[in-house]
Amino acid sequence: MPVITTIEDLRVPAKKRVPRMFYDYADSGSWTESTYRANESDFQKIKLRQRVAVNMENRSTATQMIGQNVAMPVAIAPTGLTGMQHADGEILGARAAKKFGIPFTLSTMSICSIEDVAAGTDRHPFWFQLYVMKDRDFIERLIDRAKAANCSALVLTLDLQILGQRHKDLKNGLSAPPKPTLATILNLMTKPRWGLGMLGTKRHGFGNIVGHVKGVENMGSLSEWTAKQFDPGLNWGDVEWIKKRWGGKLILKGIQDAEDAKLAVNSGADALIVSNHGGRQLDGAESSIRALPQIVDAVGSQIEVHMDGGIRSGQDVLKARALGAKGTYIGRSFLYGLGAMGEEGVSKALQIIHRELDLTMAFCGHTNIETVDKGILLPGTFPT
């Protein structure tokens, strides 16, 4: 293993070690992937102001997200099929997050179940991401399971009422159950380390769903169920119902418009995430970092504003913080580490991001993340 200094150094071995159908699932966007690319490239257009002769001692990146102490303003984003990047991937990611002192968010469409992650982290609090299904009884039971597992926040995703088309998934035959092509089968045969890991775990299906829904006992019956269950009728009344049913901290994920942000405030949620689902839904939507300032200006004093999409470094975290995000989320950066080196790789990704955040903050003349604002950015280079 070469010396690892950046998230890109983790992406390269992850691409080699993870079967193509699962690597492509994580590392792709919808249609032309223009929004997926813009999420990352728009960060690069923002320039930083270097300051000198400033006392750089006693630096701190510690802050809070929805009232919870975090070692840096970063959480691990909910990502579906994480356990197919590496065996027991959700458990490993949650353990790394626990050690580092940041939140881990488990997806509804995870391989390891809510109960698996709770047991694997000795019931350390984590966040749970909820998709709204037509089967409201299932949703109620999911919420109850999250409460029982000591989840400390519910992240409600609003931008997946219908699925965006991701061309790579279709070409790779990634569905539930998978329909691999000859090329993907041959590719699977070249990943012995991944295969051995999968042989060593019993977790291969969607753990939050299979066995918890009447008539869904395997991947075949799951496919039929999920095709009918994502609810295109989701509305703000449902959000208020879920808020009341959950009773705890609620974060709304998928806000890209100031008008929707105001509706999020009215719903009673504790935070919103400026997000375009990693460029996996509406191709041609604005990048998250460009959408962030207008949403902060519209509602920032009334609700906590977070963001995700395109974060590949601690500098990206700092830029988002400067533009008003109280917290950020990493999805692909986390998955690259997991695919490359398992739990150790996730810890490495967090260390890389933290070190870049800490040093860049100091070079910009700050020793505490709480004092960072637009003043660290070069005028004319950032969205307003």
Side-chain angles (χ1 to χ4, degrees):
M1 176 69 68
V3 175
I4 296 171
T5 58
T6 66
I7 296 299
E8 176 65 11
D9 289 341
L10 292 169
R11 187 195 69 79
V12 173
K15 188 173 183 179
K16 293 178 180 177
R17 294 177 179 180
V18 178
R20 182 170 58 230
M21 67 191 305
F22 298 121
Y23 175 85
D24 282 353
Y25 170 79
D27 200 31
S28 64
S30 63
W31 294 6
T32 70
E33 299 190 333
S34 65
T35 298
Y36 162 56
R37 293 190 300 272
N39 274 347
E40 190 172 350
S41 63
D42 282 353
F43 269 110
Q44 309 311 312
K45 299 170 185 175
I46 303 171
K47 303 304 177 185
L48 300 161
R49 293 177 61 208
Q50 178 177 311
R51 305 301 301 276
V52 296
V54 176
N55 186 340
M56 296 181 179
E57 297 176 309
N58 302 316
R59 299 189 301 277
S60 174
T61 61
T63 185
Q64 290 190 333
M65 292 174 66
I66 59 166
Q68 298 182 22
N69 293 330
V70 293
M72 59 179 174
V74 174
I76 289 181
T79 55
L81 290 175
T82 296
M84 301 309 286
Q85 302 292 320
H86 189 288
D88 297 336
E90 291 90 357
I91 295 172
L92 302 184
R95 285 176 179 168
K98 174 185 175 182
K99 290 175 186 175
F100 205 89
I102 66 166
F104 173 84
T105 315
L106 182 70
S107 170
T108 291
M109 306 306 290
S110 60
I111 301 302
C112 300
S113 69
I114 299 170
E115 293 79 10
D116 289 335
V117 173
T121 57
D122 297 322
R123 293 185 53 79
H124 181 75
F126 61 97
W127 298 354
F128 180 68
Q129 174 268 334
L130 182 70
Y131 284 125
V132 178
M133 309 291 190
K134 293 178 182 177
D135 185 344
R136 293 300 198 260
D137 178 66
F138 171 68
I139 294 301
E140 289 190 342
R141 284 185 284 113
L142 258 185
I143 291 172
D144 290 342
R145 289 167 61 196
K147 288 180 182 179
N150 201 30
C151 291
S152 55
L154 190 70
V155 178
L156 176 60
T157 294
L158 298 176
D159 62 352
L160 205 133
Q161 293 166 266
I162 55 176
L163 278 172
Q165 182 167 306
R166 302 149 198 173
H167 298 332
K168 291 176 184 174
D169 289 349
L170 294 175
K171 292 176 179 178
N172 288 330
L174 185 62
S175 59
K179 299 173 183 176
T181 64
L182 177 59
T184 54
I185 292 172
L186 292 173
N187 180 258
L188 278 167
M189 294 171 65
T190 68
K191 313 296 180 183
R193 179 185 298 191
W194 179 90
L196 286 172
M198 288 299 167
L199 286 174
T201 181
K202 61 184 180 182
R203 303 176 181 97
H204 303 125
F206 290 107
N208 290 323
I209 300 173
V210 174
H212 295 280
V213 176
K214 186 177 180 180
V216 178
E217 304 298 335
N218 54 53
M219 291 294 279
S221 53
L222 172 68
S223 178
E224 183 179 351
W225 184 80
T226 54
K228 300 175 181 177
Q229 281 299 319
F230 282 104
D231 190 355
L234 172 66
N235 59 65
W236 289 102
D238 295 320
V239 174
E240 292 175 11
W241 168 71
I242 288 168
K243 166 75 175 174
K244 184 177 180 181
R245 186 70 173 74
W246 167 245
K249 296 285 187 178
L250 179 67
I251 303 170
L252 302 182
K253 182 175 183 288
I255 304 296
Q256 281 284 107
D257 186 90
E259 213 171 306
D260 286 336
K262 292 173 184 176
L263 293 170
V265 171
N266 295 337
S267 76
D270 299 279
L272 64 84
I273 307 174
V274 179
S275 172
N276 50 44
H277 216 98
R280 294 164 62 77
Q281 286 293 90
L282 176 60
D283 188 41
E286 194 168 37
S287 70
S288 294
I289 194 62
R290 287 194 60 83
L292 174 63
Q294 61 181 326
I295 291 176
V296 170
D297 288 345
V299 301
S301 62
Q302 303 168 71
I303 191 171
E304 197 165 302
V305 177
H306 301 170
M307 71 83 61
D308 78 358
I311 292 176
R312 303 291 186 270
S313 70
Q315 288 201 341
D316 294 339
V317 173
L318 191 70
K319 291 172 182 177
R321 181 79 183 194
L323 291 175
K326 296 298 183 184
T328 63
Y329 296 72
I330 55 169
R332 294 183 177 99
S333 293
F334 144 66
L335 293 177
Y336 297 152
L338 179 67
M341 301 164 57
E343 183 178 343
E344 182 185 355
V346 179
S347 295
K348 189 67 176 177
L350 297 177
Q351 291 162 10
I352 288 167
I353 287 174
H354 181 260
R355 180 167 176 79
E356 290 174 343
L357 172 63
D358 175 59
L359 293 178
T360 304
M361 180 177 70
F363 286 135
C364 291
H366 289 257
T367 57
N368 193 310
I369 195 70
E370 300 289 359
T371 67
V372 169
D373 58 20
K374 290 179 183 177
I376 72 164
L377 306 178
L378 192 66
T381 70
F382 58 89
T384 57

